[in-house]
Amino acid sequence: MSQFDIAQTIYNFSAGPGALPKPVLRRAAAEMLDWHGTGMSVMEMSHRGKDFIAIAEAAETRLRALMDIPGDYRVLFLQGGATGQFVAVPANLSSATGVADYVITGQWGQKAYNEASKYLDRINVAAKTNPHTYVPPPGEWNLSGSAGYVHITLNETVNGVVFETIPDTGEVPLVADVSSIILSEPIDVTKFGALYAGAQKNIGPAGLTVVIVREDLLARTRPRTPAVWDWYEMAKSGSMLNTPPTYAWYLAGLVFDWLADQGGVTEIAKVNQRKAEKLYAAIDGSGIYANPVAVPNRSRMNVVYSVTDASGAASPDLEKKFLAEAKDAGLVYLNGHRSVGGIRASLYNAMPESGVDALVSFMKEFENRHG
Ligand SMILES: *Cc1c(COP(=O)(O)O)cnc(C)c1O
């Protein structure tokens, strides 16, 4: 057994920071003390030196290939998380009209709205669900007609709700928070003005945020925007206006390489589809598990469900038992978001199909014992 082996197989269903592919962690470990004969770790390199520049450029090239990002889009590697972008989006895109439209289909969309409302002259809720269990059809949205952009959360991580199709907002740029869906299935970048994602779900470690923005939307930045939130300045400086999160950027590059080795996004999407189908089938086929989301909007990345008692109501007691027994079986971080409770299984790219198989058999066993 090498120092990198772990005794029990642990399947990590955390919503974020999420599991990373084991081969990526092994490679990072092997390269930790001496990256490619430089005698130092990537963490210790100057971000402006040729070694790190090579690492940074290779990662961007790989991401562009994986997502089929057209040449007229810029890719930024930033800090501040997706939450930082809740501010950066209005700061960078609203100068034309001072108005923006928000479609709120879950907790992250609500947070994006709350943050943006501090900066915008006017913010319009084009649609909002209650409860967050579906996506209202775009035909029913109340768009302002004068917005600098329309904001959506393509996959709502807390509520387990995903857009079935990408809405068409015409001339108004569509902006999406893709934190928990990026790289899990093909996303047509050309349908968006901008996309952003915190890395810690499907890209790499926390501390890195990826922004993909159409070039013609740069330089709309509102006056007095801090430089670190200014997409134009960041694009101009190759995301190196200040020190970027170098190690997280490097690790993201390793994840991109690993994903390419898996056959890329199209291939991993097939695995992700199978994983989600298996888990939803287990929930629907059971007598004690229930998922509240409209079938076409069920997230393939974050599967939320409750454990119910004989009356069909969610049972916090059974859920507590479920989580404790799952943990003993090596199935960890299955708790729902602290604000909603229940169970949530996040099935990001690094979760192997065997992890879902293990979860499904555990669920059947648990139902036999407690159902
Ligand atoms: C996790 C998450 C966030 C918050 O990301 P931070 O990087 O912690 O700011 C925002 N939006 C979505 C959809 C998320 O899944």
Side-chain angles (χ1 to χ4, degrees):
M1 187 163 138
S2 93
Q3 61 180 321
F4 302 131
D5 288 333
I6 297 158
Q8 187 195 5
T9 302
I10 296 291
Y11 290 114
N12 175 4
F13 293 91
S14 171
L20 286 163
K22 291 283 182 263
V24 166
L25 296 176
R26 280 195 201 96
R27 188 170 153 196
E31 294 180 346
M32 173 63 81
L33 293 181
D34 181 9
W35 185 83
H36 294 207
T38 55
M40 66 181 77
S41 81
V42 173
M43 271 179 261
E44 302 165 285
M45 292 175 183
S46 164
H47 57 294
R48 304 201 189 274
K50 74 170 177 18
D51 290 325
F52 186 75
I53 296 287
I55 289 169
E57 287 179 354
E60 179 176 339
T61 303
R62 194 61 111 178
L63 179 62
R64 284 183 172 278
L66 284 168
M67 290 187 71
D68 212 0
I69 300 173
D72 62 334
Y73 282 74
R74 301 297 291 263
V75 181
L76 311 178
F77 292 83
L78 309 177
Q79 306 201 37
T83 304
Q85 294 306 312
F86 292 170
V87 185
V89 168
N92 284 284
L93 293 180
S94 69
S95 69
T97 64
V99 181
D101 288 333
Y102 276 71
V103 175
I104 301 169
T105 53
Q107 285 199 12
W108 288 115
Q110 182 66 51
K111 287 191 172 158
Y113 168 87
N114 294 350
E115 194 68 3
S117 58
K118 297 179 192 168
Y119 294 86
L120 291 161
D121 304 330
R122 192 160 76 77
I123 184 162
N124 171 51
V125 178
K128 179 173 169 170
T129 52
N130 180 22
H132 298 310
T133 53
Y134 65 103
V135 175
E140 293 171 12
W141 297 358
N142 231 323
L143 296 170
S144 63
S146 58
Y149 63 92
V150 178
H151 183 278
I152 63 170
T153 310
L154 198 58
N155 182 72
E156 279 284 359
T157 319
V158 174
N159 309 90
V161 175
V162 69
F163 275 69
E164 200 182 351
T165 53
I166 311 290
D168 180 1
T169 50
E171 290 298 297
V172 183
L174 180 64
V175 176
D177 179 350
V178 291
S179 294
S180 50
I181 189 170
I182 190 168
L183 293 172
S184 71
E185 60 184 55
I187 296 172
D188 183 351
V189 174
T190 65
K191 297 209 161 127
F192 298 88
L195 298 162
Y196 64 91
Q200 68 274 20
K201 278 68 187 253
N202 234 348
I203 294 177
L208 170 71
T209 315
V210 171
V211 173
I212 302 165
V213 55
R214 214 173 62 214
E215 223 157 35
D216 66 293
L217 298 176
L218 293 170
R220 289 190 185 189
T221 315
R222 284 166 82 107
R224 292 199 213 107
T225 297
V228 292
W229 299 125
D230 187 329
W231 290 350
Y232 176 81
E233 291 296 332
M234 280 297 188
K236 208 171 70 176
S237 61
S239 305
M240 294 196 191
L241 182 90
N242 64 333
T243 315
T246 51
Y247 195 75
W249 192 334
Y250 152 76
L251 258 178
L254 298 190
V255 172
F256 300 155
D257 288 351
W258 170 83
L259 184 49
D261 289 345
Q262 310 308 301
V265 174
T266 315
E267 288 308 308
I268 206 99
K270 292 178 194 161
V271 181
N272 288 336
Q273 179 72 30
R274 272 203 311 273
K275 279 152 51 183
E277 273 170 11
K278 278 183 180 176
L279 185 46
Y280 283 115
I283 293 167
D284 294 342
S286 82
I288 64 166
Y289 306 112
N291 166 278
V293 180
V295 171
N297 299 120
R298 283 174 158 189
S299 171
R300 292 167 286 281
M301 287 291 102
N302 312 98
V303 180
V304 298
Y305 53 103
S306 50
V307 186
T308 62
D309 60 22
S311 76
S315 162
D317 276 353
L318 275 177
E319 284 168 352
K320 229 165 104 187
K321 270 201 193 99
F322 181 95
L323 292 171
E325 291 180 22
K327 186 160 182 244
D328 289 342
L331 310 168
V332 302
Y333 287 129
L334 278 163
N335 49 296
H337 190 268
R338 60 199 148 79
S339 62
V340 293
I343 313 296
R344 172 174 53 173
S346 293
L347 311 180
Y348 300 129
N349 289 348
M351 173 57 63
E353 200 165 346
S354 58
V356 176
D357 293 338
L359 174 59
V360 165
S361 16
F362 169 78
M363 286 165 64
K364 290 195 172 130
E365 229 183 276
F366 184 89
E367 181 171 4
N368 289 342
R369 271 183 287 123
H370 299 283

